Amino acid sequence: PPSPVARFENGAQWWHALGDVPLERVVMDPPPGTATEEDLLRFVEAGDRLVELVDGTLVEKPVGYEESEIAARLVHFLWAWVLPRKLGSVVGADATLRMKGGNVRLPDVSFTISERIAALPKPRPSIPSIGPDLAIEVLSKSNTKAEIARKLKEYFESGTRLAWIINPPKQTLAVYTGPTEKPDRVLDKDEIVDGGEVLPGFTMTIAELFADAQ
């Protein structure tokens, strides 16, 4: 089959499609346009670098200490609500998810309801074809606006119903219920976020994510 990058007329188009990510995050081995899911799994399983598969190109997922701490707190808060109620599954940034268009994404944190998890093939594949009901991204310095916009589009096309984009420097959480350019609302550290229809009854103060996060 033709390379996924063959549809681009030049390198600029290809780079813009990736989301204008810094080129130091683009993996060159395997060459862009030739990478496969097996290549991605080798990177992820080795534990050295988290990468996503975008148009046949491996793109490094930036994660810093503060972002990891915030994501870990989110996993803790979500599991504390989800586990006793047997609502579904909460996973972190090394969980590989195949999007509807074939790209493989690794949300920083995600939640998927139990009914959709039960519908997955057994044994569960290394890269399930599913968009989480709740997808969460904790922004790093090298994330671009175009990159996050494309991720949101892929998430919602693949079954996501709610997305949170967390901005550590601004200490805000943006809520999306669709792949729109502007969020439904942006909450600051003095406000409370809820799980909406995805996690009815769940609430969390934004301040809890950032307390002592240095």
Side-chain angles (χ1 to χ4, degrees):
S3 164
V5 300
R7 61 190 175 92
F8 301 112
E9 294 182 0
N10 53 58
Q13 288 184 358
W14 162 78
W15 181 57
H16 291 323
L18 289 182
D20 299 334
V21 300
L23 290 176
E24 58 265 26
R25 287 176 48 202
V26 178
V27 177
M28 300 303 291
D29 184 16
T34 69
T36 65
E37 292 183 353
E38 288 72 24
D39 294 319
L40 177 145
L41 288 174
R42 281 195 291 271
F43 272 83
V44 174
E45 290 169 0
D48 296 330
R49 301 168 74 185
L50 293 179
V51 294
E52 296 182 313
L53 182 63
V54 187
D55 297 332
T57 298
L58 295 182
V59 180
E60 184 174 12
K61 182 177 174 66
V63 180
Y65 186 91
E66 182 181 6
E67 297 94 316
S68 296
E69 182 179 17
I70 292 169
R73 292 185 182 204
L74 280 164
V75 170
H76 168 73
F77 295 142
L78 289 170
W79 263 128
W81 182 265
V82 168
L83 190 60
R85 296 167 179 80
K86 300 179 180 180
L87 299 177
S89 174
V90 180
V91 294
D94 54 353
T96 51
L97 304 174
R98 184 185 299 109
M99 301 291 98
K100 186 177 180 180
N103 288 339
V104 178
R105 296 295 188 179
L106 288 72
D108 288 313
V109 182
S110 60
F111 162 74
T112 307
I113 62 172
S114 54
E115 292 82 358
R116 297 179 69 213
I117 293 294
L120 292 173
K122 295 180 177 56
R124 195 174 299 170
S126 299
I127 306 179
S129 295
I130 193 169
D133 291 272
L134 169 62
I136 305 173
E137 294 284 351
V138 183
L139 297 181
S140 296
K141 290 181 180 179
S142 67
N143 283 130
T144 67
K145 184 177 180 180
E147 176 187 17
I148 296 302
R150 179 166 182 180
K151 284 189 179 188
L152 286 171
K153 183 175 184 294
E154 292 180 11
Y155 288 149
F156 283 103
E157 286 178 347
S158 304
T160 294
R161 295 183 288 153
L162 178 65
W164 296 343
I165 305 298
I166 297 169
N167 188 320
K170 294 183 178 180
Q171 297 193 351
T172 60
L173 185 153
V175 178
Y176 291 82
T177 55
T180 55
E181 182 176 345
K182 293 184 178 180
D184 295 50
R185 58 190 185 278
V186 178
L187 307 173
D188 62 31
K189 63 181 181 179
D190 297 321
E191 296 181 274
I192 296 174
V193 66
D194 62 69
E197 296 181 358
V198 175
L199 281 169
F202 173 81
T203 61
M204 175 187 68
T205 62
I206 308 303
E208 290 180 282
L209 292 179
F210 302 106
D212 300 324
Q214 301 294 332

